Amino acid sequence: MRERLAMIMHVADHHPEDRTSPVPAIIHMVLALALALIIFALDVMSPLQGAVAVLYTIVVVIAARRGSRRTVLAVGGISAGLALAGYVISHGGDPLGSAAMRLGVSLVAILVTSLLSASQISAALARRQADARYASIFNAAGFPIWESDWSGAFRLLKGGAEPGPELVRRAGETSYVRNANQQAAKLFGYRGRIDLIGRSIARHYTDGASDAQARVFGKLLAGENPVEVETQFVNTAGETLDVLLRISLLPDTHGWDRVLLTALDVTERNNAQQRLAESHAELTHMARVMTLGQIAASIAHEVNQPLSAVINYAKSGRRWLQREAPDALEVRDCLEQIAHNGERAAEVIAGIRDLTRKTTPVRTPVDINHVFAETTALLVRELRAAGVGLRGDLARDLPSVIADRVQIQQVLMNLILNAGHAMTDTPPDDRVVLVAAHPRGERLELTVSDRGAGLQGKDPETLFRPFFTTKAQGMGMGLTICRSIIEQHGGTLTAVANPGGGLTMQFSLPLSQDTERAVA
């Protein structure tokens, strides 16, 4: 029944001339002419002293039912001429009086009726033309578009209650499609748009779509128009579609009875973004492994130190136990040192494993001081071999940031190594890399500065172009990956030339919520 009703409404909306009388136009004109002659006869032969000529307005109204604007004005002119002729025949020799007054009233009524009727015909024609253009655009659009009746939802939600899941479900079920183009039918998996008209698209909702519908209802009730939201639908084949919806209330809507929805299928775009993110993760992982390969000697040294200490303390403990009167305190001290250095070696190995493991980034509160200490332990031997010093300007009580610890360590490690490599031709006493971190509002700003050759007149953005490198063995992807990581954290990585020579790389990270509350 609802589908049949929707079809009738659709025809009525887009064919307004069908709502007029089915009587052909020629019959209307014959009736109008006959009525005009009858009124003329009454006006001439009737002994009544009333303004009979006013009845010509009925003739104008009848002509306006099916006639054009020009026809109505012509009928109005003819009616006025008949009224004048009737006056001349009946009262031509009489002095001016009440009859002339009645004639004036009749002529004014005929004139006003003719002009109003002509104006209404022009307005109706403009509406029909606008509806035709609307229908043409509606059906010719290359993207899904449909018009729905949400009046039932409006009646359920207008009380001001928060649209909960159950209320949203009921509201969605009361809504139905009034009109749709072929692209909309194709989106939901129907063969033709007629199959979609009169139906509720609630059957195509996913759990995410229901949540999006609740947000849309809330925004519309708050007066926002139009509303945009990204959601998901399920088509008739059971496939999940990612859709960007734009919901607009049409100007002539009453209680959401005319809601226009346009959709953009972004499933392929989202899939492409997912594949791009996976490729980026692979590239980031490869860059981390290559960086670790560059500092393999430092890693071996860091692991070798605690392992050598473990061996030495184990031998010492064995010697103490071989004495006739073993010193339990010395043995205990050896065992404690063995445990301490074993833990240290395990920490180094765990840190290396984290850097080499390909895992999904997880953002948690991160202590930058701890990340800097771990990075320094891994890089200190290589920097020392290159004659580069590393100095940190980080307060002990730095606030924690929300970030992925492994990715931020990768960025910091890459920037420090680049700074060290940039000072190959710098005098040995000036080869210092400075790492600084300072809070700036709701963010923590970090900088890595060197005293190398600097930009040498180049555009700073050149450094971040893929495959651009100044190293003989470089890939030119390190800084590109670092910038991408920082942008994913809501910041940006920039290069600034130092006044005294060299380069400063700077970026910022958001503070954790607990830190923001403490600062506030």
Side-chain angles (χ1 to χ4, degrees):
M1 181 62 183
R2 174 176 291 175
E3 295 182 9
R4 179 60 181 167
L5 176 62
M7 287 295 297
I8 294 172
M9 293 176 64
H10 168 63
V11 172
D13 281 344
H14 292 84
H15 301 279
E17 64 275 9
D18 292 344
R19 295 197 297 265
T20 59
S21 172
V23 180
I26 186 65
I27 297 179
H28 269 275
M29 300 312 298
V30 171
L31 290 174
L33 178 60
L35 181 60
L37 294 176
I38 292 171
I39 294 172
F40 178 77
L42 287 174
D43 191 23
V44 172
M45 296 182 293
S46 174
L48 299 176
Q49 296 299 313
V52 177
V54 173
L55 297 177
Y56 285 114
T57 57
I58 301 175
V59 176
V60 176
V61 172
I62 292 176
R65 289 284 292 169
R66 299 291 286 183
S68 65
R69 184 174 184 273
R70 183 178 298 177
T71 300
V72 169
L73 293 176
V75 169
I78 293 171
S79 297
L82 290 175
L84 284 170
Y87 174 80
V88 171
I89 294 172
S90 300
H91 307 284
D94 299 340
L96 295 177
S98 60
M101 183 67 68
R102 289 193 297 272
L103 173 64
V105 171
S106 299
L107 291 176
V108 170
I110 293 170
L111 176 63
V112 171
T113 303
S114 300
L115 292 177
L116 289 177
S117 298
S119 176
Q120 288 180 348
I121 290 174
S122 298
L125 178 60
R127 284 196 301 271
R128 286 196 296 272
Q129 292 173 342
D131 287 344
R133 286 193 298 269
Y134 173 80
S136 177
I137 296 171
F138 190 94
N139 294 318
F143 52 88
I145 178 171
W146 65 95
E147 184 181 317
S148 291
D149 187 328
W150 287 7
S151 56
F154 180 76
R155 288 191 295 270
L156 287 173
L157 300 169
K158 66 180 180 180
E162 186 70 21
E166 179 60 24
L167 192 59
V168 170
R169 183 190 64 80
R170 290 168 52 200
E173 290 176 350
T174 62
S175 305
Y176 62 91
V177 177
R178 296 181 58 173
N179 191 19
N181 66 357
Q182 186 62 31
Q183 293 296 325
K186 183 179 177 181
L187 175 70
F188 291 106
Y190 296 102
R191 288 184 299 177
R193 63 192 191 93
I194 299 301
D195 297 329
L196 184 58
I197 295 174
R199 296 176 180 266
S200 170
I201 64 170
R203 69 185 68 186
H204 298 286
Y205 285 179
T206 63
D207 292 338
S210 298
D211 294 340
Q213 187 74 53
R215 294 196 300 272
V216 169
F217 285 153
K219 290 181 178 180
L220 290 178
L221 289 171
E224 187 173 338
N225 184 38
V227 176
E228 286 190 0
V229 64
E230 186 170 336
T231 184
Q232 288 185 326
F233 290 124
V234 177
N235 63 15
T236 55
E239 299 170 340
T240 301
L241 308 172
D242 296 330
V243 177
L244 181 63
L245 275 182
R246 183 179 177 88
I247 301 97
S248 305
L249 297 179
L250 295 179
D252 56 347
T253 186
H254 300 286
W256 299 359
D257 63 337
R258 297 193 67 187
V259 181
L260 187 67
L261 297 96
T262 57
L264 181 63
D265 188 349
V266 294
T267 306
E268 286 300 322
R269 184 202 69 179
N270 289 352
N271 290 340
Q273 287 180 343
Q274 178 64 28
R275 291 192 294 269
L276 182 62
E278 292 173 356
S279 299
H280 180 268
E282 292 280 355
L283 190 60
T284 302
H285 173 249
M286 183 184 70
R288 280 203 299 269
V289 174
M290 291 187 63
T291 302
L292 288 174
Q294 296 176 15
I295 58 173
S298 295
I299 294 172
H301 176 75
E302 286 300 315
V303 176
N304 187 57
Q305 274 191 335
L307 291 179
S308 298
V310 166
I311 294 171
N312 291 332
Y313 281 114
K315 290 179 179 179
S316 297
R318 185 175 60 186
R319 287 197 300 270
W320 282 108
L321 289 174
Q322 288 174 347
R323 292 190 176 186
E324 295 182 1
D327 191 335
L329 292 177
E330 293 291 343
V331 174
R332 186 183 66 183
D333 182 61
C334 288
L335 293 175
E336 288 178 351
Q337 290 296 332
I338 289 172
H340 171 72
N341 283 277
E343 291 173 356
R344 181 183 169 194
E347 289 175 357
V348 173
I349 293 172
I352 296 171
R353 185 183 295 116
D354 287 342
L355 282 170
T356 55
R357 184 181 296 138
K358 185 173 65 175
T359 57
T360 303
V362 178
R363 296 182 188 178
T364 57
V366 174
D367 184 352
I368 290 297
N369 278 307
H370 183 64
V371 173
F372 177 69
E374 287 183 341
T375 306
T376 301
L378 291 174
L379 300 182
V380 65
R381 184 176 178 83
E382 178 164 334
L383 293 176
R384 189 180 300 155
V388 177
L390 179 60
R391 193 167 77 245
D393 181 18
L394 298 88
R396 292 184 178 180
D397 57 348
L398 276 179
S400 59
V401 296
I402 294 295
D404 180 86
R405 185 186 64 81
V406 173
Q407 289 189 340
I408 296 307
Q409 185 173 358
Q410 177 182 356
V411 171
L412 196 58
M413 187 181 298
N414 194 295
L415 296 182
I416 293 174
L417 283 175
N418 284 351
H421 295 159
M423 292 187 289
T424 303
D425 299 329
T426 302
D429 293 341
D430 293 334
R431 296 178 188 174
V432 178
V433 177
L434 175 63
V435 179
H438 302 284
R440 292 286 188 274
E442 297 181 354
R443 306 182 71 82
L444 185 69
E445 186 177 282
L446 293 94
T447 58
V448 178
S449 303
D450 63 63
R451 299 176 183 176
L455 293 172
Q456 297 180 341
K458 298 186 182 70
D459 182 358
E461 289 300 306
T462 304
L463 302 176
F464 301 100
R465 292 176 184 170
F467 307 112
F468 175 84
T469 181
T470 58
K471 304 175 187 177
Q473 305 298 326
M475 288 181 58
M477 292 300 295
L479 288 178
T480 302
I481 293 172
C482 288
R483 169 173 275 189
S484 178
I485 290 173
I486 296 302
E487 287 178 347
Q488 289 176 2
H489 282 76
T492 184
L493 176 63
T494 58
V496 180
N498 296 330
L503 194 67
T504 294
M505 308 295 291
Q506 60 185 25
F507 63 94
S508 62
L509 297 170
L511 300 178
S512 66
Q513 294 181 355
D514 293 340
T515 302
E516 291 177 8
R517 285 194 291 267
V519 172

